[in-house]
Amino acid sequence: MLQPEIEILSDPAALAARAADLLEETAAVSIGARGRFRLALSGGSTPEKMHQQIAARVANGKVDWSRTEIFFGDERMVPPDDPHSNYGMARRSLLDHVPIPPENVFPVPVHDESDLAALEYDRTLRKHFDAESQPPVLDLIFLGLGDDGHTASLFPGMPSLAVQDLWAVGSPPGVLPPPVHRVTVTFPVLNAARNVVFLIAGGAKAQIVQEVLDLNAAVDAHPAVGVKPQNGRLLWLLDEPASALLFINRR
Ligand code: 6PG
């Protein structure tokens, strides 16, 4: 795969703090350069701590929430109050605690048919970003890494891995819980971003981290390999246990 920049933090709290710093820095740079900050959040357990850090820092005023727009890299087809909802998690851990105008938040719609929800989200992305910047260029996308090598809801062996002309697609449940249909943004969106940051914590991820960073890893078996921002920065933030099988110089 494209070798990312890798930073290793001592534990999940330090990882969350570093991710929160990056969010604040990228917001300032993006608003300074283009007048707005476009961020995509992910689901999973690791980002929640980062959200809480950002929420706890709201008084520092480093993020201009009136100029921040929030999108989602993927969503599970469950109602927002379901514990598995990525939007619901973002609401509880971050959005309810910061002064972001509701019209600046773009959750993935939830339908029984994930393909329909994906089509609507694809349209939202097309409408909201300038016609000339297609695929949409997000300033920062946070991603996680699943134990099976998936990222966002791009699962091993799925047709979604090959999609080039849609910005969001439906996805059947993967082999990992929760067993629900999902919507995911596609590789063209991930790879058009200015910054992509993986947040990966815990010893249970050490093996898959090593496999994905292997030069011979293939996208079909390890979808995270397909994240290669063309003009952007790719950064992996790992905690010590997640990095345990990597033989790299420690900072
Ligand atoms: C989702 C995610 C998914 C997640 C990884 C890692 O909605 O399921 O976006 O891609 O980021 O499964 O999740 P953890 O951070 O919980 O390990």
Side-chain angles (χ1 to χ4, degrees), residues 36 38 69 71 103 106 119-136 167:
R36 59 188 163 195
R38 289 168 150 177
E69 296 170 350
F71 297 84
E103 63 274 18
F106 299 87
L119 191 64
E120 285 182 20
Y121 209 52
D122 175 271
R123 286 199 189 128
T124 297
L125 292 171
R126 281 177 203 277
K127 200 169 114 196
H128 199 70
F129 285 76
D130 305 334
E132 59 271 20
S133 75
Q134 298 292 344
W167 310 151

Side-chain angles (χ1 to χ4, degrees), residues 26 41-42 140 148 176 193 242:
T26 313
L41 300 175
S42 79
L140 176 60
D148 58 353
L176 300 173

Side-chain angles (χ1 to χ4, degrees), residues 42-47 74 76 86 144-146 150-153 182 205:
S42 79
S45 56
T46 318
D74 72 332
R76 295 97 178 256
N86 290 345
L145 177 67
H150 82 263
T151 192
S153 287
R182 298 155 180 248
K205 295 283 166 74

Side-chain angles (χ1 to χ4, degrees), residues 69-129:
E69 296 170 350
I70 307 267
F71 297 84
F72 288 82
D74 72 332
E75 184 56 278
R76 295 97 178 256
M77 294 294 98
V78 293
D81 57 359
D82 185 293
H84 293 307
S85 165
N86 290 345
Y87 171 68
M89 183 276 277
R91 264 263 71 94
R92 291 187 298 277
S93 56
L94 174 65
L95 303 175
D96 281 348
H97 310 284
V98 297
I100 187 161
E103 63 274 18
N104 288 14
V105 181
F106 299 87
V108 178
V110 175
H111 293 303
D112 290 341
E113 287 292 322
S114 62
D115 288 345
L116 177 61
L119 191 64
E120 285 182 20
Y121 209 52
D122 175 271
R123 286 199 189 128
T124 297
L125 292 171
R126 281 177 203 277
K127 200 169 114 196
H128 199 70
F129 285 76

